[in-house]
Amino acid sequence: MTDVSLIVPIYNVEKYLVSSVEAMLGQTHTNIEIILVDDGSTDGCGKICDSFAEKDSRIKVIHKKNGGVASARNAGMDKANGKYIYFCDPDDIISLSLIYDNFRLMEKYQAEVCVFGYDFLRDEGGRFVKETGFAPPKTVCLDYKGFWDNFPQERQAEATVWCRMFLRELLVKNNIRAKNVVVGEDTLFIYDVYECGFNKIVYNSGKYYSYIRRQGGAMMVYKEGRLEVTYMLAERLKEVVENCDYVKGRYEGLVYSSYVYSASGSFRYLTALSPLKMYGIVKEYMSRPNVKEGFSRLNLKEVRGSRRRVRMFLLKHRLFGLYTAFSYFYDFTKKFKGYLRRG
């Protein structure tokens, strides 16, 4: 039996694909399969995938019409044979020991989920600048009740699939599939895992993944409908937490904070619109009861970073015009500094 299936959704990442696949093939744990899902790429990705498959029998290639990352991941899961599943993106960087170390931990503890550390790297014209990442403070295995007791720490990790490994049987048994949404497919997937009542989860304090923030990347541009999905994700977390018998109201503050930080994070992308339209969208969104409740509970002293604190202050006090002006000013200065660096 194959130990781990690596599932890689691929769309027009020709520039990064070769080095990414080579890092997967170079994993110190070799009993793996690598499922490259060419999601209708219009560049040379399809040919690159096929050329790798000709050289290494561990590589399987799926060519399909473009349907988005969720569709690609689901196609990969349908073909996977590994005991465990790991999803990764083809334009990031993985450690060569990622599979070995986390597979070993899952086997040792008979865990169904594994969470490990990662770094964020900002791409400044090919030069990577390290930003804040995350790693669990210690390596530990918890049962499902222990997971919920540890939930505030769990929420410090990104709600993404690339810092987690899953028992395939858990996903199949609970019919956990990637959902096709504008953004947040990873988050919905993780929330479904939260809810499914797994037996054990193991946290690995090591860092194994570097997520590359690139200008123009999928997460760095405005998408129509983004805010509606953002709100839906916060609602979904509220539902998952409230339905858990182990919680009993302990994490009400944490749940409402998700309305705050998800909103402020998505508002950043609205500078792609006109100031008047941005103002209207922010004002409407901030009128929603759960969002208002979240901001009323917000303690500004706990907000990290001076710029973020200013943004939160303006939103909390409903100064939407000043918030819009500040956002455009900050966006302009950020782009200007980038221009100076490139020049």
Side-chain angles (χ1 to χ4, degrees), residues 266-279:
S266 291
F267 286 167
R268 292 181 302 156
Y269 302 94
L270 294 176
T271 54
L273 307 175
S274 70
L276 186 61
K277 189 167 185 179
M278 177 180 179
Y279 172 84

Side-chain angles (χ1 to χ4, degrees), residues 15-48:
K15 181 178 177 181
Y16 315 107
L17 187 56
V18 171
S19 59
S20 176
V21 176
E22 286 177 345
M24 296 175 209
L25 291 173
Q27 289 293 304
T28 54
H29 190 88
T30 57
N31 186 19
I32 61 175
E33 65 176 2
I34 302 167
I35 303 176
L36 305 177
V37 186
D38 172 25
D39 189 36
S41 297
T42 57
D43 60 3
C45 284
K47 291 182 179 179
I48 293 172

